[in-house]
Structures are given as structure tokens and as C-alpha cells.
Amino acid sequence: SSGINAEYGDNNDVFAGDMYQLNIFKRKLTLGEVTEMYYNGRCAELCRALSYEVVLSWGDILERGVVKGDVTMEDDECNNWSVVSDVVDLLVQHLNTRPR
């Protein structure tokens, strides 16, 4: 046998890690679209144009109750305080790199 099953065993144990704002799109995204999502950050909302391209989102999966296996739901890291903290960090970096 070959592929994921041969290498990792049971299909129920294929992924071990973290996912955030999982979306499955109806088409292959362009490099520019993926780059924009990356630079907008993980807490950013999906741009309006791409929101029409989503076939299945994490919210859809949760609503349908199809989560199986050892899934742990954790609090959202993208609360207001983490966003404020990120902005403060960027400002400090900017101020430290300015010529004096």
C-alpha cells in the first residue's frame, strides 16, 4: 500500500496540528490572493471577493457536526487585546528603526 495510509496509518490520525479559519475554495487561488491573506494576518477577515469563492468553511463543518476524532476547540487568539498588542509591537519596531 502507498500514500498517506501506508506512511501514517489510520485515516483518522492523518492531521495533528492547529487550524484556524479553515476555508475550502471552489478554485485554485492565485499567488497574489494567498500572499494577500498571509500579509493581512491570521486575524484578518477574508476579503469580500474571496468570500464568494468559499465552498466549505470551518463554521460550516461545525454547524453540520461532522467533526470526528480527537478535536479540541480552543479560544480564538484574535481578540481585541492581541490585535492591540500586535499594533503596539509594530509601532515599537517602527520607532526603533527610524533614524535619529
Side-chain angles (χ1 to χ4, degrees), residues 17-19 58 67 69-75:
D18 297 330
M19 283 191 235
W58 183 244
V67 177
D70 188 17
V71 176
T72 303
M73 300 299 292
E74 296 184 6
D75 290 335

Side-chain angles (χ1 to χ4, degrees), residues 15-83:
F15 179 80
D18 297 330
M19 283 191 235
Y20 186 75
Q21 293 186 359
L22 172 71
N23 289 306
I24 299 174
F25 297 92
K26 58 181 153 185
R27 63 175 175 81
K28 180 180 175 182
L29 300 182
T30 67
L31 177 60
E33 290 166 332
V34 173
T35 302
E36 179 181 357
M37 284 192 294
Y38 174 80
Y39 283 113
N40 285 341
R42 69 184 270 161
C43 294
E45 293 289 323
L46 190 61
C47 77
R48 188 175 193 175
L50 283 181
S51 67
Y52 297 114
E53 301 291 332
V54 175
V55 174
L56 185 67
S57 70
W58 183 244
D60 296 335
I61 293 169
L62 294 177
E63 286 174 12
R64 294 177 185 169
V66 294
V67 177
K68 295 181 181 175
D70 188 17
V71 176
T72 303
M73 300 299 292
E74 296 184 6
D75 290 335
D76 185 357
E77 291 180 14
C78 297
N79 60 39
N80 291 335
W81 290 114
S82 68
V83 172

